[in-house]
Amino acid sequence: MTQVRPVWVARKLRWRWVRAWTLSALCAVLAGCASPAGRVYAMAAAAGFQALSLEGGGFRLAAFYKPAAVPNPVLHVYLEGDGTPWESRWRIAQDPTPRHPLMLRLMALDPAPALYLGRPCYHGHAQDAGCSPALWTDRRYGPEVVEALAAGLRGFVRARGFRRLRLFGHSGGGALAVLLAPRLPGTLALVTVAGNLDSAAWTAYHGYSPLAGSLNPADLAPVVAEYHYLGADDPVIPPQVFAPIARNRSPGNWVILPKMGHGCCWEAEWGLILKRLEPGPALPHHE
């Protein structure tokens, strides 16, 4: 299955955002925010997002909120990938915060009200009480991580009056979106971008140690509408492994996009991906 829509349509928009995010990252470094968490906060501030600290399961969760210009009862929730759990094959990272937060960039392109929800121990919280490297390595999808995110999100939704959710996850954030959906009854749909839909298949393919203590999204049957997007040139979530998994989970709503890698170029397609979620005439689906 391939998606044949050209990506040049949004090229000018994409490069404008690339320049903007590059400049904001440079400004963060010059301003002394050279840590991974500092850079994420600087990028969020440059996009006009509101920085929040949510509580979930005894953890502090960094989050960034973007209200919509027009009231909307549906909140879009953005879940980032695994970040940097390991600095090398033998060395665990002291700070797992993502160095290149794709979901923060995609959220900036979304006209809906949206929340970027950070994981426990990420974004400057690695030294918090209850945190340990296990929560961003073997237990990165552990029940305590999933429940912390669910609790933080439930509290935010109650406080802000949202009634419905859509979950968006990149890479390991896609795994978390699948694991969160059953815990959030207001969820309408979930969207994964290069999503890790089967952590056992992923570790086996790459020759990694199993994620002992983590939940596997492949063990859960779909409970909401699911949309899965894979990159044809993605070496991390290779389509030859994950296309059958995506097809089994959502037979009519999975797509392989040409010229897409793991973290590159998804901005060019994001507007069309969002439109597929809205009521109205169905957009073409290419197999």
Side-chain angles (χ1 to χ4, degrees):
M1 171 195 263
T2 57
Q3 194 356 321
V4 297
R5 183 170 56 243
V7 300
W8 59 265
V9 176
R11 183 173 296 166
K12 290 184 179 179
L13 178 62
R14 183 182 72 202
W15 285 112
R16 184 164 67 247
W17 277 106
V18 168
R19 288 195 298 268
W21 287 108
T22 300
L23 288 173
S24 67
L26 177 60
C27 290
V29 173
L30 294 177
C33 300
S35 71
R39 288 195 293 271
V40 171
Y41 273 88
M43 293 172 70
F49 301 158
Q50 178 186 0
L52 303 172
S53 180
L54 306 181
E55 193 281 331
F59 294 97
R60 288 188 297 165
L61 309 176
F64 304 101
Y65 177 57
K66 179 181 72 66
V70 178
N72 188 330
V74 181
L75 176 70
H76 287 183
V77 180
Y78 283 73
L79 301 163
E80 195 63 78
D82 296 339
T84 309
W86 296 83
E87 293 180 357
S88 69
R89 186 174 180 85
W90 308 109
R91 183 178 179 184
I92 297 174
Q94 296 300 304
D95 183 353
T97 301
R99 273 53 170 173
H100 305 285
L102 172 64
M103 298 308 277
L104 202 64
R105 303 197 304 269
L106 295 183
M107 192 172 87
L109 303 175
D110 189 345
L115 180 75
Y116 179 101
L117 182 61
R119 304 187 200 187
C121 312
Y122 281 59
H123 303 98
H125 293 297
Q127 303 304 315
D128 285 5
C131 285
S132 71
L135 293 181
W136 58 85
T137 54
D138 291 348
R139 301 186 68 85
R140 66 185 72 179
Y141 315 137
E144 63 271 66
V145 172
V146 178
E147 184 50 40
L149 293 173
L153 189 51
R154 286 191 292 260
F156 179 84
V157 167
R158 285 195 301 268
R160 301 291 178 128
F162 289 103
R163 298 179 181 178
R164 296 289 185 267
L165 305 171
R166 292 191 180 104
L167 305 177
F168 299 82
H170 171 239
S171 193
L176 291 171
V178 173
L179 295 168
L180 280 168
R183 301 171 187 244
L184 302 167
T187 303
L188 296 173
L190 67 85
V191 177
T192 70
V193 176
N196 187 349
L197 301 175
D198 187 333
S199 56
W202 179 70
T203 55
Y205 174 82
H206 289 287
Y208 300 153
S209 299
L211 298 181
S214 282
L215 303 172
N216 188 348
D219 294 336
L220 298 184
V223 296
V224 299
E226 296 187 1
Y227 301 81
H228 303 297
Y229 295 87
L230 301 170
D233 300 328
D234 186 349
V236 179
I237 303 292
Q240 67 269 27
V241 175
F242 285 88
I245 299 169
R247 180 177 61 241
N248 289 338
R249 293 197 65 86
S250 189
N253 291 314
W254 66 281
V255 177
I256 299 175
L257 293 174
K259 300 182 180 179
M260 294 291 175
H262 191 62
C264 173
C265 312
W266 291 97
E267 294 93 328
E269 292 287 337
W270 199 240
L272 291 171
I273 288 173
L274 292 173
K275 284 182 180 179
R276 287 196 69 207
L277 301 171
E278 299 299 334
L283 295 175
H285 181 80
H286 300 277
E287 298 195 8

